[in-house]
Amino acid sequence: MSDYEHYEALVVGAGPGGAAAAATFANYGIETLVLERGVEAGSKNVSGGLIYAEESAPYTIDDLFPGFREAAAERPITKYRIHNIAGDKVESFDLTDLHEHDTEWSDSVLRRKMDSWLEDRVHERTRETGGGLLTGVHVNGLLREEGRIVGVTLDELDPITADIIVAADGVNSELARDAGLMDWDEPDEWFQGVKAVVDMPEDAIADRFDVAEDEGAAHLFSGDLFEGVRGGGFLYTNRDTLSLGTVFHLDSLVAEQAEPHELLDGLLTHPLLAQWLGDDYTELEYSAKLVPDSKKVALREPHFGRLLLVGDAAGQMQAQGPIIKGMNHAVTAGALAAESYAQAKSRNEPEKAGTRYARKLRSEGVMKKLRPRGYELLRGVAEDDGVTDVVDIVLTSAVGRAGVRALSGRLERLYNVPTLSALMPDTRTPYVTLPTVIAEELGTRVRDESSVTPPDLEARIGGLTYDTDIGSPHITLRDESYEASGAAVAACPVSAVDFGGGCYREEVVRTNGSEERVVSLDTQPCVECGTCAVVADTEWTHPRGDKGVEFKWG
């Protein structure tokens, strides 16, 4: 093996999955180096976000990091509701039973605060075993010798070798793609989330959401307020801010040519939210990310040679209707990956760490949550376009509406059945048609008027912090034709039709009397979500360490 710096374990990414892996390695006395590309852990991370501790999980974040909830989280979530919306009519259901199923606790979090707190603990614990944590370094690929993975390559440093590598480098994992385990081929395998962090004093949160200091509220939104795009909105109370956002199926965004920032504004300005946002709306940060649909992409065998994948890098994001869980699964997976290596090593068969890890994901019930068997059995029928059309026609008919009215007393209970959420098809029916009909038939008209004026896209981009890597763009257009890459003009969360300040811009080139629609790219405003890697013909990597966008809230 080449004479490179060597550690027994390498962890790429210092989010909750990487932190859990590093802490577990340290608990087994394994020399571990953690590599993080942000200027600080959390500076590149965005989440909705709630973190759960499931009763059935073998590891939770507070098990691995005592004091986590008091120091790194925002508020315990004690109220959970979903709002079905049709115009200004709303029918709301209490989802507390669904929320509390298999739940020990759930807290709202902001990633910069949470991950930076984890970073300090991870650095302390890994140093005790001869390792540590480095920030500002971009791991750009896998190091191979004679065809075998032996380490990683970096922009800023010489390659580093290791006996085991845990890739916790997020939804746009370059290591997962280098290993051939993940790709960006199908838009229907991804969600796109767009989020605003909004300033709100603690006393205003207490008053407007009727919560005490140790309480918090979570609200979900679905229906006709998102221009027919499959997905919905969320609102979570933090300590003295709110997290508001939207999450949509990426293929639906592209099909409807919807612009993410405008869909977010549609939520922010809906009269239902006037009771909470008041007339003092102050947006602190705008952000976006891709979210894997675990039902379709969670890897059953998330390993290759010495490489183990955890969290979003392995597609381990459970987004099934009102059930939205990711960080807790990353924590479980990270700890199980490290545990698997330690146990395989103790039996003198470290090469079996990957198969042991995959087996643990199954035996601990993680894969059943991420890839429900019932969904896989029904998907072929439930997601057929013809079936969807028929179901929607029936739902919106007089017969369907009468059925909704007849079920009015039981709909809330049905929404709280975990199995039904896991079976929910990825069609417009549960996201748009059904909630719209529920609101039209059962809802109450909202009389409030919104006074919120969200910032425009230029102001949102201007409010972010960037360290632009001058001369080294991290995205390259391979095909600038509108047919190949034009979808990014609307789908990119910092771009828009007729907006000249975003990443992707449509242009008309005139030559010899003919016209051609083309797309141009400027990576400076990029929020590194990865959307364009799926919907445009690009060559996409992360920026070098410390470069690009830096989120203050996340």
Side-chain angles (χ1 to χ4, degrees), residues 13-37:
T24 306
F25 277 133
N27 290 344
Y28 280 98
I30 294 170
E31 178 193 48
T32 305
L33 179 66
V34 182
L35 303 171
E36 163 59 42
R37 67 187 178 91

Side-chain angles (χ1 to χ4, degrees), residues 48 56 71 148 186 191 208 228 231 252 275 319 334 348 365 417 463 490 495 547:
S56 61
R148 296 183 303 112
E186 303 297 335
F191 299 90
R208 297 177 189 181
S252 185
Q275 62 183 307
N348 293 317
V417 177
S495 302
K547 297 298 183 180

Side-chain angles (χ1 to χ4, degrees), residues 174-340:
E174 287 158 292
L175 298 187
R177 285 163 177 78
D178 193 344
L181 295 174
M182 294 289 276
D183 60 52
W184 273 315
D185 293 342
E186 303 297 335
D188 70 341
E189 295 177 344
W190 306 93
F191 299 90
Q192 184 203 75
V194 173
K195 174 185 173 183
V197 177
V198 177
D199 186 40
M200 186 168 291
E202 287 188 50
D203 58 349
I205 291 176
D207 179 56
R208 297 177 189 181
F209 292 90
D210 190 26
V211 293
E213 183 179 358
D214 58 349
E215 295 177 329
H219 296 267
L220 299 180
F221 308 89
S222 60
D224 72 352
L225 73 167
F226 298 121
E227 301 178 14
V229 185
R230 301 194 324 274
F234 63 85
L235 183 159
Y236 305 135
T237 56
N238 303 316
R239 179 59 54 195
D240 53 8
T241 60
L242 303 178
S243 292
L244 293 112
T246 52
V247 181
F248 298 105
H249 289 268
L250 186 54
D251 63 316
S252 185
L253 272 173
V254 172
E256 301 297 333
Q257 296 184 323
E259 297 185 348
H261 71 104
E262 290 187 344
L263 297 176
L264 173 63
D265 290 348
L267 173 64
L268 296 173
T269 57
H270 192 276
L272 175 64
L273 275 73
Q275 62 183 307
W276 299 312
L277 300 185
D279 57 3
D280 51 354
Y281 182 84
T282 303
E283 196 169 296
L284 299 174
E285 185 171 79
Y286 175 74
S287 59
K289 69 167 293 185
L290 282 186
V291 180
D293 185 347
S294 71
K295 301 189 302 298
K296 300 170 184 173
V297 301
L299 297 175
R300 293 183 173 87
E301 298 290 334
H303 59 93
F304 187 82
R306 300 184 185 189
L307 178 69
L308 310 185
L309 307 181
V310 305
D312 280 359
Q316 295 166 342
M317 172 68 199
Q318 184 184 7
Q320 298 160 10
I323 300 176
I324 306 172
K325 296 180 178 179
M327 289 178 282
N328 59 302
H329 295 313
V331 169
T332 296
L336 289 178
E339 177 185 276
S340 298

Side-chain angles (χ1 to χ4, degrees), residues 278-528:
D279 57 3
D280 51 354
Y281 182 84
T282 303
E283 196 169 296
L284 299 174
E285 185 171 79
Y286 175 74
S287 59
K289 69 167 293 185
L290 282 186
V291 180
D293 185 347
S294 71
K295 301 189 302 298
K296 300 170 184 173
V297 301
L299 297 175
R300 293 183 173 87
E301 298 290 334
H303 59 93
F304 187 82
R306 300 184 185 189
L307 178 69
L308 310 185
L309 307 181
V310 305
D312 280 359
Q316 295 166 342
M317 172 68 199
Q318 184 184 7
Q320 298 160 10
I323 300 176
I324 306 172
K325 296 180 178 179
M327 289 178 282
N328 59 302
H329 295 313
V331 169
T332 296
L336 289 178
E339 177 185 276
S340 298
Y341 171 74
Q343 292 176 350
K345 175 189 172 186
S346 71
R347 291 166 172 76
N348 293 317
E349 45 188 25
E351 72 281 359
K352 295 184 178 180
T355 55
R356 181 179 288 272
Y357 166 51
R359 190 164 61 247
K360 284 179 180 289
L361 290 174
R362 292 190 294 272
S363 64
E364 294 290 352
V366 178
M367 291 309 298
K368 291 180 181 178
K369 299 169 186 174
L370 297 175
R371 301 197 72 145
R373 182 62 176 159
Y375 171 80
E376 295 184 335
L377 291 173
L378 296 174
R379 178 186 177 188
V381 174
E383 295 184 3
D384 177 82
D385 289 342
V387 172
T388 299
D389 290 342
V390 170
V391 172
D392 281 5
I393 289 171
V394 172
L395 266 176
T396 55
S397 70
V399 173
R401 292 175 182 277
V404 167
R405 291 194 298 272
L407 285 171
S408 61
R410 285 175 281 177
L411 282 172
E412 186 171 86
R413 279 181 289 168
L414 292 173
Y415 265 70
N416 278 281
V417 177
T419 304
L420 292 181
S421 293
L423 295 177
M424 181 181 292
D426 288 337
T427 66
R428 63 178 177 268
T429 304
Y431 291 104
V432 181
T433 311
L434 177 59
T436 300
V437 172
I438 289 173
E440 287 173 343
E441 297 303 316
L442 307 176
T444 301
R445 199 171 303 280
V446 178
R447 302 297 182 183
D448 294 333
E449 293 185 8
S450 174
S451 60
V452 170
T453 302
D456 61 19
L457 196 52
E458 183 175 10
R460 281 170 164 158
I461 294 171
L464 293 170
T465 299
Y466 295 94
D467 185 353
T468 304
D469 200 357
I470 303 296
S472 299
H474 63 286
I475 310 171
T476 304
L477 265 177
R478 290 187 296 221
D479 188 338
E480 66 177 13
S481 70
Y482 194 85
E483 290 74 19
S485 301
V489 176
C492 169
V494 292
S495 302
V497 177
D498 297 326
F499 173 59
C503 286
Y504 287 87
R505 305 156 193 186
E506 178 186 354
E507 300 176 357
V508 176
V509 176
R510 296 176 175 85
T511 55
N512 299 324
S514 63
E515 293 184 351
E516 181 185 6
R517 296 171 76 194
V518 299
V519 175
S520 63
L521 168 65
D522 175 6
T523 61
Q524 191 280 325
C526 179
V527 290
E528 302 167 32

Side-chain angles (χ1 to χ4, degrees), residues 69-99:
R69 299 186 69 191
E70 296 78 13
E74 293 293 311
R75 285 179 182 265
I77 298 301
T78 54
K79 298 181 179 181
Y80 203 89
R81 296 180 69 79
I82 188 167
H83 306 279
N84 302 283
I85 298 173
D88 60 357
K89 294 185 71 176
V90 179
E91 176 67 6
S92 302
F93 296 145
D94 188 330
L95 292 187
T96 303
D97 287 347
L98 180 68
H99 168 66

